[in-house]
Amino acid sequence: MATHTTASCTGSTLLQPISEIINLPLDQVNFVACQLFALLMAVWFRIYLHPNKTSPFVRHVVATLLGFYLALFCFGWYSLHFLVQSGLSYGVMICAGLEHMHKYCFIVTLGYLILCQITRVYVFDYGMYSADFTGPMMVITQKITSMVFEIHDGLTKREAQLSPSQKYLAIRRMPSLLEYLRTNYQPRYQDNANGKENGKWKQSEPSPQSVVVSKLCTCALSLAIYLSLCKVLPVEHVIDDKFLSSTPIHTQVVYLYLSMLALRPKYYFVWTLADAINNAAGFGFNGYDKDGSPRWDLISNLRILDIEFATSFKLFLDNWNIQTSLWLKRVCYERCPVNPTAATFLLSALWHGVYPGYYMTFVTGIVVTMAARAVRHNIRPYFLVSDTHKRVYDVMTWAATQVAISYTVVPFVLLAVGPSLKFYRSWYFCLHLLCVLLVMALPVKRRRPPKQQDDLQAEHSSTDNNCNQKDKSS
């Protein structure tokens, strides 16, 4: 198996012997090795290149060179696409006028990503994930487009035209090329009680050691669960003819849920490991809890318990791939004047790639979201009369959410049109039809424009903690 995949790996072959011993594709071995190396370098970076010890210029140079070396190790010459995409976008930023810079840059950055995804999928290796250089490009696309919108907000708009979150994120000067190539998140501290948090706890620099160890334990557990269950509960089994003909419908529903449950730890492993690396480098500090405990969730990508116990489609999505959800909200949902929900789902599909299954999933997500919103507005108030009724409602909506999520994302896993349609036909498109009927039958209050929502939120409470994340040049 490992030998077969070596040819498709464009990165380093230094770890080929290890790949053959553990019988895993070389590109996967390279990726994990780079992550572990990055974890060690993150500790070194925080200790020896601390802002108190060295200049921002040195930190920028080291982080940029180290990142590009790891990219070369994993992806070989494909990593040049990272420089091309970044270079084209920076050229647009410099040459285009401020008024339209964000639009042109968005089109160029996303367009280059889609072009690379098309060539990777339909020219080189359809359905194969070896040497998937477009993964880092997806993250680069988020960073670049977020930054250009924030620059546009900061340099072309008046304060009154911006929502509270946009005011906070606005960038007031054009970044240099080095700053552009290496950006990081800066925590937002509360100014309470003469330098104390909540009047009790000093805002001294905490150590991320305990939270990094905790997240590494979560990574180990997630990987063990995934490796134990992924072959026992394959998603592809839901379209097996024998399974469909001989299995009762309630068993099919349970199997669908369990197969998706077995698939999620793979993402928990990858995102939590990346989060631990950022924390080890000193990034991600988000102030203190009420009891004075430091929080390191500023750039976290998921909340596992909130995902597994989500009682609505929206809550699930809000806690899954958090940084992507925030990016979609800031560059699309808050700015789209017509049907922002549909526009956001379609942008998400474009960003993820060109497999047909992605589009089937996100189009399904549109109708499911609209139906869930209608049910919440019309049905939920009847269950708020007592705690008992509320618990019953939560159990019912949890079960409905898990089934809806599993039903929706099957094409995302199967990728191709044929298998995806076979699955939906086996369910008689029941969830699609139910959602359409709910949307038609239940009225939904007109959604306030995003700016009005933010202003109303600001009047009654502080903006959401997720809006306290800022991606700026150091």
Side-chain angles (χ1 to χ4, degrees), residues 159-168 334 450-451 454-455:
E159 291 282 318
Q161 295 177 287
L162 303 176
S163 68
S165 61
Q166 290 171 347
K167 290 177 186 176
Y168 178 79
E334 292 183 338
K451 187 177 186 305
D454 277 337
D455 291 342

Side-chain angles (χ1 to χ4, degrees), residues 180-217:
Y180 169 81
L181 290 174
R182 187 257 173 181
T183 59
N184 68 273
Y185 290 86
Q186 295 180 348
R188 181 178 187 177
Y189 300 97
Q190 298 179 8
D191 299 324
N192 293 339
N194 297 322
K196 294 184 179 180
E197 186 83 21
N198 300 320
K200 296 179 181 180
W201 305 96
K202 294 179 66 176
Q203 290 183 345
S204 57
E205 183 176 338
S207 170
Q209 179 178 346
S210 61
V211 74
V212 170
V213 172
S214 174
K215 290 178 179 180
L216 291 178
C217 291

Side-chain angles (χ1 to χ4, degrees), residues 49 54-64 176 178-179 182 474:
L49 293 183
T54 188
S55 66
F57 177 81
V58 174
R59 286 167 57 86
H60 285 318
V61 170
V62 171
T64 301
S176 67
L178 186 57
E179 290 173 331
R182 187 257 173 181
S474 296

